[in-house]
């Protein structure tokens, strides 16, 4: 179970207040659409969150421009974390909704330096349903795609 869940309304959420400078943060960098700052929990040294400046809750709520900017900032931060902390691995993690593991409901992406036996865990229960099911899932997704 997460230690902390932010249920503040949009505009008053903890990351909106952090973006506005109303609460302190250890900022790493920013551009027009994103801000990168140290995660208060620091799963490993150099653990950074890249958030949209605009309040949006999940991946489904951000614009294509914000999505591009977030990944560009994440790559800059990952390169800096590699240079500064020299981890043997790096994981990008992004949670959507409480069931998806999100605890702060303002879009953000974790840039997380990784080390052997660092305790970070995500269960990956493979089902391997076979080719026919994969084709069915892909067909459903193709039908759902709005822009081809
Ligand atoms: P999520 O669980 O939503 O993917 O990640 C939320 C993250 O926000 C957690 O890793 C938590 O440590 C971090 N966090 C929560 N409150 C604050 C805060 O006030 N300042 C900073 N810098 N990080 C926070
Ligand atoms: Zn917000």
């Amino acid at each position: 179970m997460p230690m902390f869940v932010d249920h503040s309304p949009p505009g008053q959420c903890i990351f909106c207040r952090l973006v506005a400078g109303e609460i302190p943060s250890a900022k790493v960098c920013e551009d027009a659409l994103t801000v990168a700052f140290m995660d208060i929990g620091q799963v490993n040294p150099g653990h950074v969150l890249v958030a949209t400046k605009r309040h949006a809750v999940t991946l489904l709520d951000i614009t294509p421009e914000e999505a591009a900017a977030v990944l560009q900032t994440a790559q800059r931060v990952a390169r800096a974390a590699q240079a500064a902390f020299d981890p043997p691995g790096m994981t990008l993690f992004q949670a959507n909704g409480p069931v998806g593991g999100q605890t702060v409901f303002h879009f953000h992406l974790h840039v997380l330096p990784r080390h052997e036996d660092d305790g970070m865990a995500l269960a990956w229960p493979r089902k391997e349903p076979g080719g026919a099911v994969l084709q069915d899932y892909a067909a459903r997704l193709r039908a759902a795609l709005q822009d081809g």
Side-chain angles (χ1 to χ4, degrees), residues 2 4-5 93-105 108 110 122:
F4 166 85
V5 177
F93 179 78
Q94 196 274 311
N96 299 285
V99 174
Q102 187 174 17
T103 60
V104 175
F105 299 99
H108 57 278
H110 295 254
L122 181 65

Side-chain angles (χ1 to χ4, degrees), residues 53-106:
K53 284 187 170 174
R54 185 180 69 90
H55 182 85
V57 180
T58 75
L59 180 65
L60 304 186
D61 303 314
I62 65 174
T63 66
E65 292 76 19
E66 286 169 330
V70 164
L71 197 58
Q72 285 174 12
T73 299
Q75 188 187 44
R76 282 186 73 201
V77 168
R79 286 185 170 137
Q82 194 64 50
F85 295 95
D86 195 27
M90 189 91 66
T91 297
L92 268 57
F93 179 78
Q94 196 274 311
N96 299 285
V99 174
Q102 187 174 17
T103 60
V104 175
F105 299 99
H106 177 132

Side-chain angles (χ1 to χ4, degrees), residues 13-144:
C13 88
I14 202 147
F15 288 174
C16 281
R17 296 180 62 210
L18 191 149
V19 168
E22 293 169 10
I23 60 171
S25 69
K27 198 180 285 183
V28 177
C29 63
E30 65 182 311
D31 64 13
L33 298 177
T34 68
V35 59
F37 53 92
M38 305 313 297
D39 187 299
I40 204 166
Q42 291 300 289
V43 169
N44 285 318
H47 179 184
V48 170
L49 301 178
V50 179
T52 51
K53 284 187 170 174
R54 185 180 69 90
H55 182 85
V57 180
T58 75
L59 180 65
L60 304 186
D61 303 314
I62 65 174
T63 66
E65 292 76 19
E66 286 169 330
V70 164
L71 197 58
Q72 285 174 12
T73 299
Q75 188 187 44
R76 282 186 73 201
V77 168
R79 286 185 170 137
Q82 194 64 50
F85 295 95
D86 195 27
M90 189 91 66
T91 297
L92 268 57
F93 179 78
Q94 196 274 311
N96 299 285
V99 174
Q102 187 174 17
T103 60
V104 175
F105 299 99
H106 177 132
F107 179 89
H108 57 278
L109 173 67
H110 295 254
V111 178
L112 178 56
R114 298 296 308 279
H115 299 273
E116 289 285 352
D117 301 322
D118 63 8
M120 174 76 185
L122 181 65
W124 203 258
R126 292 166 62 91
K127 306 294 190 297
E128 301 195 21
V133 173
L134 298 187
Q135 291 297 340
D136 175 57
Y137 291 167
R140 288 166 60 179
L141 289 168
R142 284 194 302 270

